[in-house]
Amino acid sequence: MAFVRWARVVRPPWLGWRFVAVPMVVWLVLTTTGVAGLSWIQRDSREAAAQRFAQRIGLMGDFVTGYVTDVIDRERAAGQAFLANPGVGNDVFTRTLTAFGYPAALLLDDRGRVIQVAPDNPALVGRDMTGQYAHLRTAVAEGHPAVSGVVRSATRGVPVVGFAVPFDTGSGRRVFSGAMDIRHNQLSSYLATALSLKGVRIQLVDTAGAILAANRPLPAGLPTLPGQDPALAAALRQHPTGRYEEGGRAWRYASLPIPGTPWQLSAAVREDVMFASLAGSQLAGRVAVATAALVGLLVVGAVARSRHSWRDLQQAHAQMADFLAMLTHDVRQPLGTLVAVGELMLEEWPELDEDAKRRYVRRMTSSGHRAGDLVGEILTLAQLDAGALVARPIDVDVTHSARQAVAAFGADPARPIAVVAPDECTALADPAHLQLILGNLLSNATKYGAPPVTVSVAGHRDRVEVRVSDNGEGVPDAFVPQLFSRFSRAEIGVATTKPGTGLGLYFVRQLATANGLAIDYQPNQPHGAVFTLTLPVPSTPATGHHAVAPVHASH
């Protein structure tokens, strides 16, 4: 027997590490899984944002394609209606040109010779222009519309883009070719407002790299993409979409060809701008994982200090499971709300009115407070499990403590909490723990009960009783045995409609036990719940106990 007792008291050092190994491995696996999962989610979110960017470029490409098609159709219709007569006067040609807003235009016969030109230049009339401009040669020789890259205007010498459209007349085929100034055109106006991302670069470029339209002012001369943005130009030569580095920053880009033209639409934006809307969710995810890891580490630490047997090792496993269940549901829910509302606000901010913005901010604030309260409860639970909360009972005026707790609780002014107590009533308790106990009981009464809520203090010869009562539906009979258990919540009644962790009354029982107090539940009459906290009195009880009228706290 002596050997057995010695063996139970003296334990090799390595045996304690063996007891800690399993929860530590579980913590490492779960933390690693959480970090990996968060990284995957964030990577997926970033790729989704990049895909949305590429989709927007695709929509812009559809607009440009539609614009080109519309110009060609309008030129063909105008040519057949006004420019098909054997003789086309200068005034008729000028009026037709004005309707398109072109700074210059040509009308050619079926051999590519100039019939009319604007601005007026008699020296060009009769000259074959197909050798000078490839798009005119295509329209005359092949009989289908052609769009040029950036070329010099035959009449003004400025950089333009030409739309050459053939049409049939009684005198044979003719080609109406209008020129669009690259400095001032509808495409640049559209690109300037098509995408609201800060610092985004959008441009239409021909096969030679010349810029014919952009979302920003172009310099004098003949601007080119290699000259304006060499890093993007180099990236586009490698692949139509992707990312590149410039000036120590990462950029994302996308491009696509415009059908029926020698044009390419491209856009580039810094990654920090593209992913700005994800910053809130990424931070919240990191905070959630870090909180879970910290709490898990606290649990492992508590396990390391309290391992004395295999049975203790198995309570630890149950606690870890409880923690994980709560973290995956109760902590994740407010953080998820916070992230979702934040992303929604970032996406819809320009369209939201002030009332909607305030409503969203209130939801985010409420979720943030909820997450903060949960973290506070988790840390308190970890302190309880680690034995870090030590009670230091002293003589306390329970009447003053009750009124102080009600005032700090901040009840709804329309539904004040009544305090019925003598002028003074002394008992033994840790003042800070007593405030925590009363605060949790008040929270429980207002959350799950119904008004009126009353706090009554009564002094007896050997004890002081504090009763917190409400007039709600009370506690279901089947749930009463688990009322003060850890993570315990009723599966019927009002509790199923309220968020919570099931820790409030557990904290009350643990703190009461640590202070040598007693907590009890009884149904209220005719309905509701009554929680009675019993405190011991000092060896020399204080005097002056007499009842007063109810005091209503409406803080």
Side-chain angles (χ1 to χ4, degrees), residues 103-193:
L106 295 170
L107 181 63
L108 309 181
D109 62 15
D110 58 359
R111 296 175 62 181
R113 296 172 300 188
V114 176
I115 299 175
Q116 277 290 353
V117 59
D120 188 28
N121 187 345
L124 292 179
V125 176
R127 180 185 297 182
D128 182 0
M129 303 298 292
T130 58
Q132 185 175 349
Y133 297 104
H135 68 295
L136 298 180
R137 184 165 58 251
T138 298
V140 171
E142 301 180 15
H144 60 72
V147 180
S148 76
V150 179
V151 297
R152 295 284 183 179
S153 168
T155 58
R156 300 176 60 193
V158 297
V160 297
V161 170
F163 298 86
V165 180
F167 59 96
D168 293 328
T169 72
S171 304
R173 176 180 297 160
R174 289 182 178 176
V175 173
F176 176 29
S177 178
M180 181 182 73
D181 193 333
I182 68 170
R183 295 282 185 278
H184 310 285
N185 58 70
Q186 294 180 352
L187 289 176
S188 290
S189 299
Y190 166 72
L191 296 181
T193 59

Side-chain angles (χ1 to χ4, degrees), residues 109-367:
D109 62 15
D110 58 359
R111 296 175 62 181
R113 296 172 300 188
V114 176
I115 299 175
Q116 277 290 353
V117 59
D120 188 28
N121 187 345
L124 292 179
V125 176
R127 180 185 297 182
D128 182 0
M129 303 298 292
T130 58
Q132 185 175 349
Y133 297 104
H135 68 295
L136 298 180
R137 184 165 58 251
T138 298
V140 171
E142 301 180 15
H144 60 72
V147 180
S148 76
V150 179
V151 297
R152 295 284 183 179
S153 168
T155 58
R156 300 176 60 193
V158 297
V160 297
V161 170
F163 298 86
V165 180
F167 59 96
D168 293 328
T169 72
S171 304
R173 176 180 297 160
R174 289 182 178 176
V175 173
F176 176 29
S177 178
M180 181 182 73
D181 193 333
I182 68 170
R183 295 282 185 278
H184 310 285
N185 58 70
Q186 294 180 352
L187 289 176
S188 290
S189 299
Y190 166 72
L191 296 181
T193 59
L195 208 55
S196 59
L197 293 175
K198 181 180 178 181
V200 66
R201 303 172 184 172
I202 313 173
Q203 51 276 316
L204 277 168
V205 180
D206 67 13
T207 53
I211 302 176
L212 60 102
N215 69 331
R216 57 195 180 277
L218 296 176
L222 191 63
T224 64
L225 186 60
Q228 291 280 298
D229 198 340
L232 175 59
L236 286 170
R237 286 193 292 269
Q238 300 297 322
H239 199 273
T241 60
R243 66 192 301 271
Y244 64 92
E245 299 285 336
E246 181 188 24
R249 293 180 179 270
W251 289 71
R252 288 284 181 131
Y253 71 94
S255 67
L256 52 85
I258 303 301
T261 74
W263 305 347
Q264 181 185 50
L265 174 66
S266 62
V269 67
R270 293 202 318 264
E271 284 191 342
D272 60 329
V273 175
M274 175 181 286
F275 303 138
S277 63
L278 305 178
S281 61
Q282 290 177 347
L283 178 60
R286 290 167 186 163
V287 170
V289 170
T291 300
L294 175 61
V295 171
L297 196 58
L298 290 173
V299 172
V300 171
V303 171
R305 287 190 294 270
S306 62
R307 295 304 84 200
H308 296 296
S309 66
W310 282 107
R311 180 179 179 182
D312 290 338
L313 182 62
Q314 295 300 320
Q315 187 209 32
H317 288 174
Q319 289 180 11
M320 179 71 79
D322 289 340
F323 265 117
L324 294 175
M326 186 181 68
L327 288 172
T328 55
H329 181 268
D330 295 295
V331 176
R332 199 160 130 199
Q333 193 274 332
L335 289 177
T337 300
L338 190 67
V339 172
V341 174
E343 289 182 343
L344 188 63
M345 286 185 68
L346 287 170
E347 291 181 1
E348 300 182 356
W349 185 263
E351 292 81 22
L352 295 175
D353 57 32
E354 291 302 318
D355 289 340
K357 291 177 181 177
R358 282 191 291 270
R359 186 167 61 254
Y360 282 145
V361 170
R362 282 194 294 270
R363 286 186 62 189
M364 294 176 71
T365 303
S366 176
S367 296

